[in-house]
Amino acid sequence: MEDRVPSAPKAARRRRRRPTFGRRAYAAVAGLGVIVGALAGTLALFHDVFGLFNSDPPASIDARIDKVVQTRSRMPFGEYLSETKLPRSSFSKEQLVQPGYEFAVTVTITGRLGKELPLRWRMFRKPETPLPGPIYDREAVGFEPKGAKHSNSWPVWVPYPPNRGTYYVRFTLDDPNGLPADQRDSATFTYPSH
């Protein structure tokens, strides 16, 4: 008697058949897709790593106060407004004759094209006491660079302090987010001057 292996059902026999042309093409395309994907990933990784060593340096971004010089020790506010071509009409006669100091502040801004950077000032009494009140803590001007590197000097008027003493003015150039980009103190001065 012969041992016979029972025959597989018809469905199992169909599965074991040779792949058709469509199935072979599908498998070949899928395999090709995996190879192309792996190759693209490898090339992208190579480009990223290679780019670290051969890329151009990032654009320089810098904003600094180069110099602060006291140019006048007695300047009426109205004269300052005329010098800077700012409107006088919203100020009283008393305000226009109020004396103060004039400082020339020179700034250089690199890589912040079209973004305004405000220049603020605040007066301090030596050694490090800020004067109270908004009259001694103000924005002087906003610098908006028109080129990749912008350098400018601007006159800033500061009123006299309320009492005798030794003072200085701290100028701060803010970045577009309102954070200090740079600051510089003026030389100390005595009020009233001797």
Side-chain angles (χ1 to χ4, degrees), residues 57-124:
S60 176
I61 296 177
D62 188 26
R64 68 180 184 275
I65 300 172
D66 298 314
K67 190 166 50 169
V68 173
V69 178
Q70 183 181 338
T71 53
R72 303 255 313 257
S73 60
R74 182 172 178 79
M75 180 182 211
F77 182 56
E79 188 178 328
Y80 168 77
L81 292 174
S82 297
E83 179 184 297
T84 55
K85 297 182 177 34
L86 294 171
R88 300 165 47 109
S89 58
S90 59
F91 298 101
S92 68
K93 218 180 229 189
E94 292 80 24
Q95 289 172 317
L96 293 173
V97 297
Q98 181 182 0
Y101 303 100
E102 183 187 54
F103 294 88
V105 181
T106 305
V107 302
T108 300
I109 302 167
T110 305
R112 298 190 185 262
L113 186 63
K115 297 189 176 180
E116 185 173 287
L117 283 78
L119 177 70
R120 300 187 55 80
W121 63 266
R122 185 160 197 189
M123 189 180 286
F124 289 80

Short mmCIF file of all heavy atoms in Angstrom, two decimals, residues 57-124:
data_model
loop_
_atom_site.label_atom_id
_atom_site.label_comp_id
_atom_site.label_asym_id
_atom_site.label_seq_id
_atom_site.Cartn_x
_atom_site.Cartn_y
_atom_site.Cartn_z
N PRO A 57 28.60 81.45 5.01
CA PRO A 57 28.31 81.80 6.40
C PRO A 57 26.99 82.55 6.46
O PRO A 57 26.60 83.22 5.51
CB PRO A 57 29.49 82.70 6.79
CG PRO A 57 30.05 83.19 5.50
CD PRO A 57 29.75 82.15 4.48
N PRO A 58 26.27 82.45 7.60
CA PRO A 58 25.01 83.17 7.71
C PRO A 58 25.25 84.68 7.66
O PRO A 58 26.34 85.16 7.98
CB PRO A 58 24.48 82.75 9.10
CG PRO A 58 25.67 82.24 9.83
CD PRO A 58 26.63 81.72 8.80
N ALA A 59 24.23 85.40 7.23
CA ALA A 59 24.35 86.86 7.14
C ALA A 59 24.61 87.43 8.53
O ALA A 59 24.05 86.99 9.52
CB ALA A 59 23.06 87.44 6.58
N SER A 60 25.49 88.40 8.58
CA SER A 60 25.85 89.03 9.84
C SER A 60 24.69 89.90 10.32
O SER A 60 24.09 90.63 9.55
CB SER A 60 27.09 89.89 9.63
OG SER A 60 27.40 90.59 10.80
N ILE A 61 24.36 89.79 11.61
CA ILE A 61 23.32 90.63 12.21
C ILE A 61 23.95 91.28 13.43
O ILE A 61 24.47 90.61 14.31
CB ILE A 61 22.09 89.79 12.63
CG1 ILE A 61 21.44 89.18 11.38
CG2 ILE A 61 21.11 90.64 13.39
CD1 ILE A 61 20.28 88.28 11.69
N ASP A 62 23.91 92.61 13.44
CA ASP A 62 24.55 93.34 14.52
C ASP A 62 23.90 94.70 14.64
O ASP A 62 23.48 95.29 13.65
CB ASP A 62 26.05 93.49 14.22
CG ASP A 62 26.82 94.07 15.39
OD1 ASP A 62 26.37 93.91 16.54
OD2 ASP A 62 27.87 94.68 15.16
N ALA A 63 23.79 95.19 15.83
CA ALA A 63 23.29 96.54 16.09
C ALA A 63 24.07 97.07 17.28
O ALA A 63 24.07 96.45 18.34
CB ALA A 63 21.79 96.52 16.38
N ARG A 64 24.75 98.19 17.07
CA ARG A 64 25.56 98.69 18.19
C ARG A 64 25.57 100.21 18.21
O ARG A 64 25.40 100.87 17.18
CB ARG A 64 26.96 98.12 18.12
CG ARG A 64 27.80 98.59 16.97
CD ARG A 64 29.20 97.97 17.00
NE ARG A 64 30.01 98.50 15.95
CZ ARG A 64 30.04 98.06 14.71
NH1 ARG A 64 29.26 97.06 14.38
NH2 ARG A 64 30.81 98.60 13.81
N ILE A 65 25.82 100.71 19.40
CA ILE A 65 26.03 102.15 19.60
C ILE A 65 27.54 102.36 19.58
O ILE A 65 28.25 101.85 20.44
CB ILE A 65 25.41 102.62 20.92
CG1 ILE A 65 23.91 102.35 20.93
CG2 ILE A 65 25.71 104.10 21.16
CD1 ILE A 65 23.23 102.61 22.26
N ASP A 66 28.01 103.08 18.59
CA ASP A 66 29.45 103.28 18.43
C ASP A 66 29.99 104.37 19.34
O ASP A 66 31.09 104.26 19.87
CB ASP A 66 29.79 103.65 16.98
CG ASP A 66 29.42 102.54 16.02
OD1 ASP A 66 29.74 101.38 16.31
OD2 ASP A 66 28.81 102.84 14.98
N LYS A 67 29.20 105.44 19.50
CA LYS A 67 29.75 106.60 20.20
C LYS A 67 28.62 107.45 20.77
O LYS A 67 27.56 107.59 20.17
CB LYS A 67 30.55 107.41 19.17
CG LYS A 67 31.39 108.51 19.71
CD LYS A 67 32.40 109.04 18.69
CE LYS A 67 31.81 109.38 17.36
NZ LYS A 67 32.71 110.12 16.47
N VAL A 68 28.86 108.02 21.95
CA VAL A 68 27.95 109.00 22.58
C VAL A 68 28.81 110.19 23.00
O VAL A 68 29.75 110.03 23.78
CB VAL A 68 27.24 108.41 23.82
CG1 VAL A 68 26.45 109.48 24.54
CG2 VAL A 68 26.34 107.25 23.43
N VAL A 69 28.48 111.36 22.47
CA VAL A 69 29.25 112.56 22.77
C VAL A 69 28.29 113.69 23.16
O VAL A 69 27.33 113.95 22.43
CB VAL A 69 30.08 113.01 21.54
CG1 VAL A 69 30.85 114.29 21.84
CG2 VAL A 69 31.02 111.91 21.10
N GLN A 70 28.56 114.32 24.30
CA GLN A 70 27.76 115.49 24.68
C GLN A 70 28.24 116.67 23.83
O GLN A 70 29.41 117.04 23.89
CB GLN A 70 27.89 115.81 26.16
CG GLN A 70 27.01 116.97 26.58
CD GLN A 70 27.16 117.30 28.06
OE1 GLN A 70 27.59 116.48 28.85
NE2 GLN A 70 26.80 118.52 28.41
N THR A 71 27.34 117.23 23.02
CA THR A 71 27.73 118.31 22.11
C THR A 71 27.33 119.69 22.62
O THR A 71 27.96 120.68 22.25
CB THR A 71 27.11 118.09 20.72
OG1 THR A 71 25.69 117.90 20.87
CG2 THR A 71 27.72 116.87 20.05
N ARG A 72 26.29 119.75 23.45
CA ARG A 72 25.86 121.03 24.01
C ARG A 72 25.46 120.83 25.46
O ARG A 72 24.84 119.83 25.81
CB ARG A 72 24.63 121.58 23.26
CG ARG A 72 24.81 121.77 21.76
CD ARG A 72 24.99 123.19 21.30
NE ARG A 72 24.10 124.21 21.80
CZ ARG A 72 23.09 124.73 21.12
NH1 ARG A 72 22.76 124.29 19.92
NH2 ARG A 72 22.38 125.70 21.65
N SER A 73 25.80 121.81 26.31
CA SER A 73 25.42 121.71 27.73
C SER A 73 24.25 122.64 28.07
O SER A 73 23.71 122.56 29.16
CB SER A 73 26.62 122.03 28.62
OG SER A 73 27.07 123.34 28.36
N ARG A 74 23.88 123.49 27.12
CA ARG A 74 22.71 124.33 27.33
C ARG A 74 22.02 124.54 25.99
O ARG A 74 22.48 125.33 25.16
CB ARG A 74 23.08 125.67 27.95
CG ARG A 74 21.86 126.55 28.22
CD ARG A 74 22.21 127.80 29.02
NE ARG A 74 21.05 128.64 29.22
CZ ARG A 74 20.11 128.43 30.12
NH1 ARG A 74 20.18 127.40 30.91
NH2 ARG A 74 19.09 129.25 30.24
N MET A 75 20.93 123.83 25.79
CA MET A 75 20.19 123.92 24.53
C MET A 75 18.70 123.95 24.83
O MET A 75 18.17 123.02 25.43
CB MET A 75 20.51 122.72 23.64
CG MET A 75 19.77 122.75 22.31
SD MET A 75 20.16 121.29 21.35
CE MET A 75 20.04 121.95 19.70
N PRO A 76 17.99 125.01 24.42
CA PRO A 76 16.53 125.03 24.61
C PRO A 76 15.86 123.94 23.77
O PRO A 76 16.30 123.65 22.65
CB PRO A 76 16.13 126.43 24.12
CG PRO A 76 17.38 127.23 24.12
CD PRO A 76 18.49 126.27 23.88
N PHE A 77 14.81 123.40 24.31
CA PHE A 77 14.09 122.32 23.65
C PHE A 77 13.57 122.75 22.27
O PHE A 77 13.65 121.99 21.30
CB PHE A 77 12.95 121.83 24.54
CG PHE A 77 12.18 120.68 23.98
CD1 PHE A 77 12.81 119.50 23.61
CD2 PHE A 77 10.80 120.76 23.82
CE1 PHE A 77 12.09 118.43 23.09
CE2 PHE A 77 10.08 119.70 23.31
CZ PHE A 77 10.72 118.52 22.95
N GLY A 78 13.08 123.97 22.17
CA GLY A 78 12.57 124.48 20.89
C GLY A 78 13.65 124.53 19.82
O GLY A 78 13.39 124.24 18.64
N GLU A 79 14.86 124.88 20.22
CA GLU A 79 15.97 124.91 19.27
C GLU A 79 16.30 123.49 18.78
O GLU A 79 16.59 123.29 17.60
CB GLU A 79 17.19 125.55 19.93
CG GLU A 79 18.34 125.81 18.98
CD GLU A 79 19.51 126.48 19.67
OE1 GLU A 79 19.29 127.27 20.63
OE2 GLU A 79 20.65 126.19 19.25
N TYR A 80 16.22 122.54 19.70
CA TYR A 80 16.45 121.15 19.31
C TYR A 80 15.40 120.69 18.29
O TYR A 80 15.73 120.04 17.30
CB TYR A 80 16.42 120.24 20.54
CG TYR A 80 16.36 118.77 20.21
CD1 TYR A 80 17.50 118.10 19.77
CD2 TYR A 80 15.16 118.06 20.31
CE1 TYR A 80 17.44 116.75 19.45
CE2 TYR A 80 15.11 116.72 19.98
CZ TYR A 80 16.25 116.08 19.54
OH TYR A 80 16.18 114.74 19.22
N LEU A 81 14.13 121.04 18.54
CA LEU A 81 13.07 120.64 17.60
C LEU A 81 13.30 121.26 16.22
O LEU A 81 13.09 120.59 15.20
CB LEU A 81 11.70 121.06 18.14
CG LEU A 81 11.22 120.33 19.40
CD1 LEU A 81 9.92 120.94 19.91
CD2 LEU A 81 11.05 118.85 19.13
N SER A 82 13.74 122.51 16.19
CA SER A 82 14.04 123.15 14.91
C SER A 82 15.20 122.46 14.21
O SER A 82 15.16 122.22 13.00
CB SER A 82 14.37 124.63 15.12
OG SER A 82 13.26 125.30 15.65
N GLU A 83 16.24 122.13 14.96
CA GLU A 83 17.43 121.49 14.39
C GLU A 83 17.09 120.13 13.78
O GLU A 83 17.61 119.76 12.72
CB GLU A 83 18.48 121.31 15.49
CG GLU A 83 19.75 120.62 15.04
CD GLU A 83 20.71 120.41 16.20
OE1 GLU A 83 21.17 121.41 16.78
OE2 GLU A 83 20.99 119.24 16.53
N THR A 84 16.22 119.39 14.42
CA THR A 84 15.88 118.05 13.95
C THR A 84 14.65 118.05 13.05
O THR A 84 14.20 116.99 12.61
CB THR A 84 15.64 117.10 15.14
OG1 THR A 84 14.64 117.67 16.00
CG2 THR A 84 16.91 116.85 15.91
N LYS A 85 14.10 119.23 12.78
CA LYS A 85 12.92 119.40 11.91
C LYS A 85 11.71 118.62 12.43
O LYS A 85 10.97 118.00 11.67
CB LYS A 85 13.25 118.99 10.47
CG LYS A 85 14.32 119.88 9.86
CD LYS A 85 14.61 119.52 8.43
CE LYS A 85 15.62 120.40 7.75
NZ LYS A 85 16.71 120.95 8.47
N LEU A 86 11.53 118.66 13.76
CA LEU A 86 10.37 118.04 14.39
C LEU A 86 9.34 119.12 14.68
O LEU A 86 9.69 120.28 14.91
CB LEU A 86 10.80 117.33 15.68
CG LEU A 86 11.72 116.13 15.50
CD1 LEU A 86 12.26 115.65 16.84
CD2 LEU A 86 10.98 114.99 14.80
N PRO A 87 8.05 118.79 14.70
CA PRO A 87 7.01 119.81 14.92
C PRO A 87 7.06 120.42 16.32
O PRO A 87 7.31 119.72 17.30
CB PRO A 87 5.70 119.04 14.69
CG PRO A 87 6.04 117.60 14.85
CD PRO A 87 7.49 117.45 14.50
N ARG A 88 6.82 121.72 16.38
CA ARG A 88 6.84 122.45 17.65
C ARG A 88 5.43 122.77 18.14
O ARG A 88 5.26 123.19 19.28
CB ARG A 88 7.60 123.77 17.45
CG ARG A 88 9.01 123.63 17.01
CD ARG A 88 9.59 124.93 16.50
NE ARG A 88 9.35 126.07 17.35
CZ ARG A 88 10.26 126.70 18.07
NH1 ARG A 88 11.51 126.29 18.01
NH2 ARG A 88 9.95 127.73 18.83
N SER A 89 4.44 122.60 17.29
CA SER A 89 3.10 123.11 17.57
C SER A 89 2.43 122.51 18.81
O SER A 89 1.59 123.15 19.43
CB SER A 89 2.19 122.90 16.36
OG SER A 89 2.14 121.53 16.03
N SER A 90 2.76 121.30 19.22
CA SER A 90 2.08 120.67 20.36
C SER A 90 2.73 121.01 21.71
O SER A 90 2.31 120.48 22.73
CB SER A 90 2.03 119.15 20.17
OG SER A 90 3.33 118.63 20.06
N PHE A 91 3.72 121.91 21.72
CA PHE A 91 4.41 122.25 22.96
C PHE A 91 4.11 123.69 23.35
O PHE A 91 3.95 124.58 22.51
CB PHE A 91 5.93 122.05 22.80
CG PHE A 91 6.30 120.62 22.49
CD1 PHE A 91 6.60 120.23 21.20
CD2 PHE A 91 6.32 119.67 23.50
CE1 PHE A 91 6.92 118.93 20.90
CE2 PHE A 91 6.66 118.36 23.21
CZ PHE A 91 6.95 117.98 21.92
N SER A 92 4.07 123.93 24.68
CA SER A 92 3.83 125.28 25.19
C SER A 92 5.10 126.11 25.09
O SER A 92 6.20 125.58 24.87
CB SER A 92 3.37 125.21 26.65
OG SER A 92 4.44 124.76 27.46
N LYS A 93 4.95 127.42 25.29
CA LYS A 93 6.10 128.33 25.26
C LYS A 93 7.11 127.96 26.35
O LYS A 93 8.32 127.98 26.11
CB LYS A 93 5.61 129.76 25.49
CG LYS A 93 6.29 130.80 24.69
CD LYS A 93 5.70 132.15 25.01
CE LYS A 93 5.39 132.85 23.72
NZ LYS A 93 5.00 134.24 23.91
N GLU A 94 6.60 127.59 27.52
CA GLU A 94 7.47 127.20 28.63
C GLU A 94 8.28 125.94 28.28
O GLU A 94 9.46 125.83 28.62
CB GLU A 94 6.66 126.95 29.91
CG GLU A 94 6.04 128.19 30.52
CD GLU A 94 4.74 128.60 29.80
OE1 GLU A 94 4.09 127.73 29.16
OE2 GLU A 94 4.41 129.79 29.85
N GLN A 95 7.63 124.99 27.63
CA GLN A 95 8.33 123.76 27.25
C GLN A 95 9.41 124.05 26.20
O GLN A 95 10.50 123.47 26.25
CB GLN A 95 7.35 122.73 26.71
CG GLN A 95 6.45 122.13 27.79
CD GLN A 95 5.36 121.26 27.18
OE1 GLN A 95 4.74 121.61 26.18
NE2 GLN A 95 5.13 120.10 27.81
N LEU A 96 9.12 124.93 25.26
CA LEU A 96 10.06 125.23 24.18
C LEU A 96 11.32 125.93 24.67
O LEU A 96 12.38 125.78 24.06
CB LEU A 96 9.38 126.05 23.09
CG LEU A 96 8.28 125.31 22.30
CD1 LEU A 96 7.55 126.28 21.37
CD2 LEU A 96 8.87 124.15 21.52
N VAL A 97 11.23 126.69 25.78
CA VAL A 97 12.41 127.40 26.29
C VAL A 97 13.16 126.58 27.35
O VAL A 97 14.22 127.00 27.81
CB VAL A 97 12.06 128.80 26.86
CG1 VAL A 97 11.51 129.69 25.77
CG2 VAL A 97 11.12 128.70 28.03
N GLN A 98 12.63 125.41 27.71
CA GLN A 98 13.28 124.58 28.73
C GLN A 98 14.67 124.18 28.26
O GLN A 98 14.84 123.62 27.18
CB GLN A 98 12.44 123.33 29.02
CG GLN A 98 13.04 122.45 30.07
CD GLN A 98 12.22 121.19 30.30
OE1 GLN A 98 11.18 120.98 29.68
NE2 GLN A 98 12.68 120.34 31.20
N PRO A 99 15.72 124.44 29.09
CA PRO A 99 17.08 124.08 28.68
C PRO A 99 17.38 122.61 28.98
O PRO A 99 16.78 121.99 29.85
CB PRO A 99 17.96 125.00 29.52
CG PRO A 99 17.16 125.24 30.76
CD PRO A 99 15.71 125.19 30.34
N GLY A 100 18.34 122.09 28.23
CA GLY A 100 18.78 120.71 28.44
C GLY A 100 20.10 120.47 27.75
O GLY A 100 20.76 121.42 27.30
N TYR A 101 20.49 119.21 27.69
CA TYR A 101 21.74 118.82 27.05
C TYR A 101 21.44 118.23 25.67
O TYR A 101 20.37 117.69 25.44
CB TYR A 101 22.45 117.73 27.88
CG TYR A 101 22.73 118.13 29.30
CD1 TYR A 101 21.91 117.72 30.33
CD2 TYR A 101 23.84 118.91 29.61
CE1 TYR A 101 22.17 118.07 31.65
CE2 TYR A 101 24.11 119.27 30.93
CZ TYR A 101 23.26 118.85 31.94
OH TYR A 101 23.53 119.20 33.24
N GLU A 102 22.44 118.31 24.81
CA GLU A 102 22.35 117.62 23.53
C GLU A 102 23.50 116.62 23.44
O GLU A 102 24.65 116.95 23.75
CB GLU A 102 22.43 118.59 22.35
CG GLU A 102 22.27 117.88 21.01
CD GLU A 102 22.52 118.79 19.82
OE1 GLU A 102 23.60 119.42 19.77
OE2 GLU A 102 21.64 118.86 18.96
N PHE A 103 23.15 115.38 23.04
CA PHE A 103 24.13 114.32 22.83
C PHE A 103 24.04 113.86 21.38
O PHE A 103 22.94 113.73 20.83
CB PHE A 103 23.83 113.11 23.73
CG PHE A 103 24.00 113.39 25.19
CD1 PHE A 103 22.93 113.89 25.94
CD2 PHE A 103 25.20 113.16 25.83
CE1 PHE A 103 23.07 114.15 27.29
CE2 PHE A 103 25.36 113.41 27.19
CZ PHE A 103 24.29 113.92 27.91
N ALA A 104 25.19 113.62 20.76
CA ALA A 104 25.23 113.00 19.44
C ALA A 104 25.48 111.51 19.64
O ALA A 104 26.48 111.13 20.26
CB ALA A 104 26.32 113.62 18.58
N VAL A 105 24.56 110.70 19.15
CA VAL A 105 24.65 109.24 19.32
C VAL A 105 24.84 108.62 17.93
O VAL A 105 24.03 108.84 17.03
CB VAL A 105 23.39 108.68 19.99
CG1 VAL A 105 23.50 107.17 20.19
CG2 VAL A 105 23.12 109.37 21.32
N THR A 106 25.92 107.87 17.77
CA THR A 106 26.23 107.22 16.49
C THR A 106 25.99 105.73 16.62
O THR A 106 26.47 105.10 17.56
CB THR A 106 27.70 107.48 16.09
OG1 THR A 106 27.93 108.88 16.08
CG2 THR A 106 28.00 106.90 14.72
N VAL A 107 25.21 105.19 15.68
CA VAL A 107 24.89 103.76 15.69
C VAL A 107 25.28 103.13 14.36
O VAL A 107 25.33 103.80 13.33
CB VAL A 107 23.38 103.50 15.95
CG1 VAL A 107 22.95 104.09 17.26
CG2 VAL A 107 22.53 104.00 14.82
N THR A 108 25.56 101.82 14.40
CA THR A 108 25.77 101.03 13.19
C THR A 108 24.90 99.79 13.29
O THR A 108 24.93 99.08 14.30
CB THR A 108 27.25 100.62 13.04
OG1 THR A 108 28.05 101.79 12.97
CG2 THR A 108 27.47 99.80 11.77
N ILE A 109 24.10 99.57 12.24
CA ILE A 109 23.18 98.44 12.21
C ILE A 109 23.50 97.61 10.97
O ILE A 109 23.54 98.14 9.86
CB ILE A 109 21.71 98.93 12.18
CG1 ILE A 109 21.43 99.81 13.42
CG2 ILE A 109 20.75 97.75 12.13
CD1 ILE A 109 20.14 100.59 13.34
N THR A 110 23.70 96.32 11.16
CA THR A 110 24.02 95.41 10.06
C THR A 110 23.00 94.28 10.02
O THR A 110 22.71 93.67 11.05
CB THR A 110 25.43 94.80 10.25
OG1 THR A 110 26.36 95.87 10.41
CG2 THR A 110 25.83 93.94 9.08
N GLY A 111 22.44 94.02 8.84
CA GLY A 111 21.60 92.84 8.64
C GLY A 111 20.20 92.92 9.20
O GLY A 111 19.58 91.90 9.44
N ARG A 112 19.67 94.08 9.42
CA ARG A 112 18.30 94.20 9.94
C ARG A 112 17.48 95.11 9.02
O ARG A 112 16.75 95.97 9.47
CB ARG A 112 18.30 94.73 11.36
CG ARG A 112 19.03 93.80 12.32
CD ARG A 112 18.81 94.22 13.75
NE ARG A 112 19.59 93.44 14.65
CZ ARG A 112 19.12 92.39 15.33
NH1 ARG A 112 17.90 92.00 15.16
NH2 ARG A 112 19.89 91.75 16.16
N LEU A 113 17.63 94.90 7.75
CA LEU A 113 17.03 95.73 6.73
C LEU A 113 15.52 95.83 6.92
O LEU A 113 14.83 94.83 7.05
CB LEU A 113 17.34 95.15 5.35
CG LEU A 113 16.91 95.96 4.15
CD1 LEU A 113 17.65 97.29 4.12
CD2 LEU A 113 17.20 95.19 2.87
N GLY A 114 15.02 97.07 6.96
CA GLY A 114 13.59 97.31 7.03
C GLY A 114 12.96 97.10 8.39
O GLY A 114 11.74 97.20 8.52
N LYS A 115 13.74 96.84 9.44
CA LYS A 115 13.17 96.64 10.78
C LYS A 115 13.61 97.80 11.66
O LYS A 115 14.79 98.09 11.77
CB LYS A 115 13.65 95.32 11.37
CG LYS A 115 13.17 94.15 10.56
CD LYS A 115 13.44 92.86 11.26
CE LYS A 115 12.83 91.75 10.42
NZ LYS A 115 13.01 90.45 10.93
N GLU A 116 12.64 98.46 12.30
CA GLU A 116 12.97 99.62 13.12
C GLU A 116 13.56 99.20 14.45
O GLU A 116 13.06 98.29 15.11
CB GLU A 116 11.72 100.47 13.36
CG GLU A 116 12.05 101.75 14.10
CD GLU A 116 10.87 102.69 14.21
OE1 GLU A 116 10.52 103.29 13.19
OE2 GLU A 116 10.32 102.79 15.31
N LEU A 117 14.63 99.89 14.81
CA LEU A 117 15.27 99.68 16.11
C LEU A 117 15.21 100.99 16.87
O LEU A 117 15.84 101.97 16.48
CB LEU A 117 16.73 99.24 15.91
CG LEU A 117 16.95 97.80 15.51
CD1 LEU A 117 16.66 97.59 14.05
CD2 LEU A 117 18.34 97.37 15.85
N PRO A 118 14.45 101.04 17.96
CA PRO A 118 14.34 102.28 18.74
C PRO A 118 15.58 102.55 19.58
O PRO A 118 16.18 101.63 20.13
CB PRO A 118 13.13 102.05 19.65
CG PRO A 118 12.57 100.72 19.30
CD PRO A 118 13.55 100.01 18.43
N LEU A 119 15.94 103.82 19.67
CA LEU A 119 17.01 104.27 20.55
C LEU A 119 16.36 104.94 21.75
O LEU A 119 15.61 105.91 21.60
CB LEU A 119 17.94 105.26 19.83
CG LEU A 119 19.05 105.86 20.69
CD1 LEU A 119 20.09 104.79 21.04
CD2 LEU A 119 19.71 107.02 19.97
N ARG A 120 16.61 104.40 22.94
CA ARG A 120 16.03 104.95 24.18
C ARG A 120 17.16 105.54 25.02
O ARG A 120 18.32 105.19 24.85
CB ARG A 120 15.34 103.84 24.98
CG ARG A 120 14.20 103.16 24.26
CD ARG A 120 13.44 102.21 25.17
NE ARG A 120 12.95 102.85 26.37
CZ ARG A 120 11.85 103.61 26.44
NH1 ARG A 120 11.14 103.83 25.37
NH2 ARG A 120 11.48 104.16 27.58
N TRP A 121 16.78 106.42 25.95
CA TRP A 121 17.76 106.94 26.90
C TRP A 121 17.13 107.00 28.28
O TRP A 121 15.91 107.09 28.43
CB TRP A 121 18.28 108.32 26.48
CG TRP A 121 17.25 109.40 26.43
CD1 TRP A 121 16.53 109.81 25.36
CD2 TRP A 121 16.82 110.22 27.52
NE1 TRP A 121 15.68 110.82 25.69
CE2 TRP A 121 15.84 111.10 27.02
CE3 TRP A 121 17.15 110.30 28.87
CZ2 TRP A 121 15.19 112.04 27.83
CZ3 TRP A 121 16.51 111.23 29.68
CH2 TRP A 121 15.54 112.10 29.14
N ARG A 122 18.00 106.93 29.28
CA ARG A 122 17.55 107.06 30.68
C ARG A 122 18.66 107.74 31.46
O ARG A 122 19.83 107.41 31.30
CB ARG A 122 17.27 105.69 31.27
CG ARG A 122 16.70 105.79 32.67
CD ARG A 122 16.00 104.54 33.07
NE ARG A 122 15.15 104.83 34.22
CZ ARG A 122 14.54 103.91 34.92
NH1 ARG A 122 14.64 102.66 34.57
NH2 ARG A 122 13.80 104.25 35.95
N MET A 123 18.27 108.72 32.30
CA MET A 123 19.26 109.45 33.09
C MET A 123 19.44 108.79 34.45
O MET A 123 18.47 108.37 35.09
CB MET A 123 18.85 110.91 33.27
CG MET A 123 19.95 111.76 33.90
SD MET A 123 19.50 113.51 34.12
CE MET A 123 19.59 114.11 32.44
N PHE A 124 20.72 108.72 34.89
CA PHE A 124 21.07 108.13 36.18
C PHE A 124 21.88 109.14 36.98
O PHE A 124 22.69 109.88 36.44
CB PHE A 124 21.95 106.88 35.99
CG PHE A 124 21.21 105.70 35.44
CD1 PHE A 124 20.94 105.61 34.09
CD2 PHE A 124 20.80 104.68 36.28
CE1 PHE A 124 20.28 104.51 33.57
CE2 PHE A 124 20.14 103.57 35.77
CZ PHE A 124 19.87 103.49 34.42
#
